[in-house]
Amino acid sequence: MKASRLARCTRLSLNGGSLAILQWLAACSAAPGDGAQPGNAAVAAEAPAPQAGAGGAVAPVAADARLVVAFGDSLYAGYGVTQTESFPARLQAALAEAGVKAVVHNAGVSGDTSAAGRQRLGFVLDGLPRRPDLVIVGLGGNDMLRGLSPDETRANLTAILDELKQRGIPAMLTGMVAAPNMGPDYVAAFNPIYPQLARQYGVPLYPFFLDGVVTDEKLMQADRIHPTAAGIDRVTARIAPLVRQALAR
């Protein structure tokens, strides 16, 4: 998405200033009965350009180390922070602190929709030194921001999970929920995507990537879309235990 389009979308969400956006985000919730946690906020994981290092060369992987791929958009790529502060880097550090030797490859690209992720998945996987032990998929925020059809989002995420399954690669999802101002029909169609796919494919799900972070302005960048380094640490602390469990399967 071009910067001008992003600015218009952001102004729509930020109408009324910082307090309004926090109230708007806090009001977002997943559809009842779908396994997502109440109070999860919707966020547009959009940024103007890919970040340095996103989807680049994989660090050397020792024979006794696990290879994890963080495959997503700007929330994974590390928009607005250094690469050492990005989610993949902090996840690798958290796993090491827990005694799990792993390389977490940053395959996040800012601005990616689920369709863009679907198109590049094979290229990313084929460029790895070996089959990964886990691929964490975090896409769909930009679909929601652009008002793309939830059916398209579901189809693209399904294709991604199908390819991972066909290649024998374990997967994990980090989810998203739609903003209420998208309308009840959109919310009802979008929100169940992640919990339903998680059940269908038997993969772990973290219902909302920025849960517990997005409503705390101290943990968010000025755009109120992307987390600060401290926010990423908070997110990582919540997701790392699920990743450890997935790697132990």
Side-chain angles (χ1 to χ4, degrees):
M1 182 182 293
K2 293 182 180 180
S4 60
R5 173 75 184 280
L6 172 60
R8 290 196 298 272
C9 293
T10 303
R11 282 198 299 273
L12 178 66
S13 300
L14 290 175
N15 184 29
S18 299
L19 179 58
I21 186 60
L22 291 175
Q23 292 172 335
W24 172 75
L25 290 167
C28 300
S29 61
D34 290 317
Q37 297 174 355
N40 286 346
V43 63
E46 180 72 27
Q51 298 302 293
V58 186
V61 182
D64 61 342
R66 316 303 294 275
L67 175 57
V68 178
V69 177
F71 187 77
D73 50 37
S74 59
L75 295 177
Y76 282 18
Y79 178 78
V81 298
T82 68
Q83 282 300 295
T84 57
E85 294 170 333
S86 68
F87 167 66
R90 299 311 300 151
L91 178 60
Q92 180 172 313
L95 292 174
E97 290 173 3
V100 179
K101 188 174 183 180
V103 170
V104 181
H105 175 53
N106 187 343
V109 173
S110 295
D112 253 15
T113 59
S114 61
R118 176 181 180 177
Q119 291 174 354
R120 69 181 174 91
L121 177 62
F123 175 80
V124 170
L125 296 176
D126 292 342
L128 298 172
R130 62 173 173 83
R131 187 173 63 184
D133 298 286
L134 180 68
V135 173
I136 310 172
V137 180
L139 292 163
N142 290 319
D143 298 41
M144 188 272 292
L145 174 65
R146 300 182 187 192
L148 301 180
S149 167
D151 290 340
E152 294 180 13
T153 302
R154 181 186 294 273
N156 291 325
L157 291 174
T158 297
I160 288 171
L161 292 172
D162 278 341
E163 180 160 358
L164 293 173
K165 183 177 181 179
Q166 290 168 5
R167 292 181 180 233
I169 301 172
M172 174 179 164
L173 288 171
T174 60
M176 183 64 54
V177 296
N181 62 0
M182 296 301 295
D185 291 342
Y186 191 95
V187 170
F190 186 90
N191 285 1
I193 292 173
Y194 301 90
Q196 288 178 354
L197 287 179
R199 289 195 296 268
Q200 178 181 341
Y201 286 88
V203 301
L205 169 69
Y206 187 77
F208 176 59
F209 186 76
L210 292 178
D211 186 33
V213 173
V214 73
T215 53
D216 187 340
E217 60 183 354
K218 298 187 298 296
L219 299 177
M220 297 296 292
Q221 297 180 39
D223 63 7
R224 298 294 190 267
I225 293 172
H226 299 93
T228 63
I232 291 172
D233 281 345
R234 175 79 62 83
V235 171
T236 303
R238 292 175 171 225
I239 294 179
L242 293 178
V243 175
R244 293 200 307 270
Q245 292 173 14
L247 290 173
R249 286 185 170 188

